[in-house]
Amino acid sequence: MDAQSRGRADEIDPADQWVLNPRTGHYELQLNDSAARERPKVAAPRRSSSAPAAPTTTSPGVPGPRRGDTPPGGRRGGRSRKSGGGGGGRRKKALLITSGTLALLLVGGAAAAYLYYDHLNGNLSVTDIAGAGTGGFKKDQAINILVIGTDKRSGAGNEGYGDKDSVGHADTTILFHIAKDRSNATALSIPRDLITNIPDCPTKQPDGSTKTVRGAKGVRFNTSLGQEGRDAGCTMRTVKDLTGIEVDNFMMVDFNAVKTLSTAVGGVPVCLEKDVDDEDSKLKLSKGEHKLEGEQALAFVRTRHAFGNESDLDRIKTQQQFLGSMMREMKSKETLTSPKKFFSLAEAATKSLTVDQGLGSIDKLTDLAGELKDIDLKNITFTTMPVLDNPAEKVKATVVVNQALADPLLQMIRGDVSLTEVEKKEQAAKEAADADAKAKQDALLQGNRAPAGDVRVSVYNGGGPKGAASTTQQWLQSSKGMSKASNQGNAPAKVDATQLEFAPNQADQARALADALGLPATALKMGTTDAAAKTPMKLTLGPDFQKAGSPLAPPVPQELPKDVQQAQADKAICAK
């Protein structure tokens, strides 16, 4: 039994109690007296949170299913349905809505969509992150979710893992980037021992007030959580400063999550190239294939001395292999057709998760899952922030960013470029469209330039450095003679890259401004109708803008440097 198990040999799993009533043709929840007394109160499945449940069971306090509802994994009215149509098909599709995500994200979404229990909302823990992040993912934009595994030792069964009084650190951190077109995803692991800077972090206090925890320079990344009262919002802010990628939402779990989720799915397959006997993590396994759950699963993802060169970087690879295997297990037929597994996963996932307010309900988790339903596992790439041993240390204990490898990797993630090869047809069509668009854009730079004094432009900051609109306006006036430039402050919405919007009769002004700022043709967005006299163009500075007078960030690379570690979620890899 794992630490979270409430099970006894005689306890009845509610998922096993759905039986077909031959008189009505519908599934009903049937409990004997013993089961009714021992079963915890939960709401029966229903189509929506607003629909009332009709009492049909013999168990006091346990509402029954609505007329016509199916049990978890069951069929309606005893009739079979093809997977492609009808209500059964829709439910089967719901089972797959989170295929191609991190395992924790996968479980949380799929279970929520399939088992719509009101009481699951109460299982979730929600943190007010005091304005960290974007405020929540958007359906028509790329999504960035920060998945945090904390080493907090609280909870029954966790007393033997060392510092039981630890407030927890950001022990395992993965930035999960979902592409705007939902065709692929990248899971970027951030080493816990990476030396970085932590910004000042506003944090919500129990009394509702906000306290700013002072930042720190040159410290381990994992201290962005827990230490000095820092919350997950602080880890989100640290990731933004480190990567240039703003996080939409976070999900956080502790030791118990690995145990309960691996047990709920019936075990996670792993492969070892050698025998392992690690006294620290208590992992003892023979060479070959195993299916791990509970304490063994936790030992597998915690071990630092069993594989590779016994470093945290090799442990990250082991964790990525485990997560990939859990994803494959989630998509397996054995999981999709098992009512018992889905009921267990719903409970385990929601009880394990701490989320921000933007994901603080089953509805919101289901919305997120809907955005991920079409991602194939082969188009999910695990990678790790490239690092080097800390040159300031004689005894190597920490690491620093390897900028030569990290810069192109982060550029690709920020530019929403897949690290995997998507479908050939789609890729070919995209490349052809890009080539056509580039030819049209390049033509915009061909032609006359307006005198500097005639250039009218309103400058907005849509994701550039703080104060960029003001400093750019001043630079254009003082250094380029563009006296009609004006500062408009922050843009109404952030942009992915710097862009200049102008009318056809302003093309000569646009070319002059592009020359002054070094804007590429792709940054020019020409409208279809002419502008009135004295109407300014609109320049919105994006995250690729560094400072006035400096060129924009270089073009996004289309391939990773060969030394960047990566692995695809659909491939099983043996730990060695």
Side-chain angles (χ1 to χ4, degrees), residues 339-356:
K340 183 174 182 180
K341 284 186 179 181
F342 269 98
F343 190 95
S344 298
L345 285 170
E347 289 294 322
T350 53
K351 285 183 178 179
S352 298
L353 282 174
T354 297
V355 296
D356 60 274

Side-chain angles (χ1 to χ4, degrees), residues 155-283:
N158 290 333
E159 300 88 350
Y161 298 136
D163 184 4
K164 67 177 182 179
D165 297 321
S166 170
V167 294
H169 305 74
D171 192 57
T172 299
T173 304
I174 299 175
L175 178 60
F176 193 56
H177 172 85
I178 301 102
K180 183 176 181 178
D181 65 4
R182 308 299 188 251
S183 67
N184 64 88
T186 299
L188 174 68
S189 293
I190 301 176
R192 67 176 192 175
D193 294 327
L194 175 66
I195 295 300
T196 189
N197 297 330
I198 299 175
D200 292 345
C201 301
T203 57
K204 283 289 185 179
Q205 303 301 300
D207 63 1
S209 63
T210 300
K211 173 186 176 183
T212 297
V213 180
R214 292 185 62 183
K217 294 185 180 298
V219 296
R220 278 180 165 88
F221 173 84
N222 67 351
T223 59
S224 64
L225 177 70
Q227 309 308 298
E228 309 296 333
R230 298 185 182 105
D231 62 10
C234 189
T235 307
M236 293 170 69
R237 290 181 169 93
T238 303
V239 168
K240 179 186 176 183
D241 283 4
L242 178 64
T243 65
I245 301 167
E246 190 161 32
V247 181
D248 296 304
N249 302 97
F250 86 88
M251 293 178 167
M252 183 166 65
V253 296
D254 61 15
F255 280 176
N256 280 320
V258 176
K259 295 188 287 186
T260 58
L261 292 175
S262 60
T263 300
V265 78
V268 176
V270 300
C271 172
L272 282 69
E273 289 194 358
K274 62 180 182 180
D275 295 341
V276 170
D277 188 358
D278 180 13
E279 293 183 2
D280 290 340
S281 67
K282 307 297 188 293
L283 181 66

Side-chain angles (χ1 to χ4, degrees), residues 23-70:
R23 292 184 294 103
T24 65
H26 303 310
Y27 279 87
E28 296 177 1
L29 185 63
Q30 301 290 333
L31 297 177
N32 58 30
D33 291 341
S34 172
R37 287 193 298 271
E38 294 187 16
R39 186 183 185 278
K41 293 184 180 181
V42 297
R46 51 190 190 177
R47 293 179 185 169
S48 70
S49 58
S50 60
T56 60
T57 76
T58 59
S59 176
V62 182
R66 283 176 28 172
R67 187 175 180 83
D69 276 354
T70 64

Side-chain angles (χ1 to χ4, degrees), residues 310-382:
E310 302 187 7
S311 70
D312 187 54
L313 298 179
D314 281 297
R315 183 172 68 162
I316 287 174
K317 293 178 184 178
T318 302
Q319 292 170 346
Q320 291 174 350
Q321 293 162 15
F322 183 86
L323 287 172
S325 181
M326 182 176 278
M327 289 181 189
R328 296 190 295 275
E329 195 67 13
M330 293 293 176
K331 285 201 66 179
S332 70
K333 181 179 178 181
E334 288 76 11
T335 298
L336 296 180
T337 58
S338 171
K340 183 174 182 180
K341 284 186 179 181
F342 269 98
F343 190 95
S344 298
L345 285 170
E347 289 294 322
T350 53
K351 285 183 178 179
S352 298
L353 282 174
T354 297
V355 296
D356 60 274
Q357 291 172 311
L359 291 178
S361 71
I362 301 302
D363 281 344
K364 292 174 180 177
L365 285 172
T366 303
D367 286 344
L368 175 60
E371 295 298 304
L372 313 174
K373 63 183 175 61
D374 294 326
I375 305 178
D376 194 303
L377 291 180
K378 68 182 180 181
N379 288 328
I380 299 179
T381 302
F382 288 102

